[in-house]
Amino acid sequence: DGGITQSPKYLFRKEGQNVTLSCEQNLNHDAMYWYRQDPGQGLRLIYYSQIVNDFQKGDIAEGYSVSREKKESFPLTVTSAQKNPTAFYLCASSIEGGYGYTFGSGTRLTVV
Amino acid sequence: GENVEQHPSTLSVQEGDSAVIKCTYSDSASNYFPWYKQELGKRPQLIIDIRSNVGEKKDQRIAVTLNKTAKHFSLHITETQPEDSAVYFCAASMQSGGYQKVTFGTGTKLQVIP
């Protein structure tokens, strides 16, 4: 399904709970990204990784953490420190950093 | 940092008419400008892109123009069809610390009325 898979599609989080969103790609892309999408605000970069075992903060990294132990995988953890986590989260990858993303199908996270 | 503004936020056109979405960017270092289409409930997909050494690019019914002097670029869709209805995002990209940093516009919801 497009080479990049996000799971789960829907996720519900209780107050004070950490949750992890999965992102796996089989495109052999070096670069991977996490974006948050809110109505009227476009896509905002949370974290990105250009190579295994390396990642950098994006524009809105507070309250989030990531790891990149394998080229194929870039999981995002939404921690309890993220005060407004309800949003649509998109993972993306690219063969060259930033030139033409392939997006996953997204995870909709809701705080209950 | 880069700032990308996109207009209009919503656009309704009759089937068969043309649609134009405009974006401006602030940093002259931006050198790559992709456009993404996101249908309801689906992932964004790259539909066309342009690099800063090119002024115009066409792909069937869609075209993108770039004016580097004025720092603006536009998406043109001709002979619109109902399946063109979606949210369209522009983006501007530049090299930043060894990484191609992408800044997205806020999106345009296009509705094509049959």
Side-chain angles (χ1 to χ4, degrees):
Chain A
D1 185 19
I4 183 165
T5 303
Q6 287 186 244
S7 62
K9 189 172 183 178
Y10 299 97
L11 187 57
F12 297 91
R13 193 195 90 169
K14 295 181 180 179
E15 294 281 353
Q17 192 178 47
N18 293 355
V19 291
T20 297
L21 285 58
S22 171
C23 179
E24 302 276 335
Q25 55 101 357
N26 61 5
L27 300 168
N28 200 32
H29 286 173
D30 289 314
M32 297 187 74
Y33 316 83
W34 274 104
Y35 281 88
R36 171 177 171 145
Q37 187 175 26
D38 295 283
Q41 296 196 50
L43 283 73
R44 293 183 292 167
L45 181 65
I46 305 172
Y47 267 98
Y48 65 95
S49 169
Q50 298 184 80
I51 56 172
V52 174
N53 293 323
D54 184 63
F55 48 84
Q56 304 294 331
K57 292 182 179 180
D59 299 319
I60 56 165
E62 185 176 351
Y64 300 97
S65 66
V66 294
S67 63
R68 187 87 186 274
E69 297 177 1
K70 298 186 301 181
K71 186 176 185 177
E72 300 80 15
S73 178
F74 192 40
L76 174 74
T77 296
V78 184
T79 74
S80 57
Q82 171 49 238
K83 299 305 179 188
N84 184 23
T86 294
F88 188 56
Y89 290 87
L90 284 163
C91 179
S93 68
S94 67
I95 191 166
E96 298 177 66
Y99 289 112
Y101 286 176
T102 298
F103 281 95
S105 54
T107 293
R108 189 165 297 280
L109 173 63
T110 303
V111 174
V112 296
Chain B
E2 176 64 279
N3 181 49
V4 177
E5 295 190 356
Q6 183 172 349
H7 299 282
S9 57
T10 61
L11 178 61
S12 291
V13 299
Q14 293 289 331
E15 182 178 356
D17 288 349
S18 296
V20 180
I21 302 170
K22 298 182 179 182
C23 289
T24 61
Y25 61 100
S26 60
D27 198 323
S28 57
S30 288
N31 60 2
Y32 173 67
F33 306 91
W35 286 87
Y36 291 87
K37 175 184 179 182
Q38 186 176 28
E39 297 178 47
L40 188 63
K42 296 189 177 180
R43 71 189 75 191
Q45 291 193 306
L46 179 69
I47 55 171
I48 195 167
D49 56 12
I50 191 167
R51 305 217 179 193
S52 59
N53 59 347
V54 176
E56 183 176 3
K57 184 177 179 180
K58 290 183 180 180
D59 183 3
Q60 299 182 345
R61 295 186 298 108
I62 61 173
V64 58
T65 59
L66 171 65
N67 183 326
K68 288 191 294 183
T69 303
K71 297 194 188 69
H72 66 71
F73 56 113
S74 301
L75 179 71
H76 304 253
I77 306 174
T78 59
E79 301 172 14
T80 54
Q81 301 168 4
E83 52 264 39
D84 294 329
S85 295
V87 177
Y88 292 81
F89 292 96
C90 65
S93 176
M94 71 170 82
Q95 274 290 328
S96 176
Y99 154 72
Q100 193 74 8
K101 181 174 171 61
V102 180
T103 304
F104 286 86
T106 51
T108 296
K109 184 176 182 180
L110 173 65
Q111 181 185 19
V112 179
I113 303 167

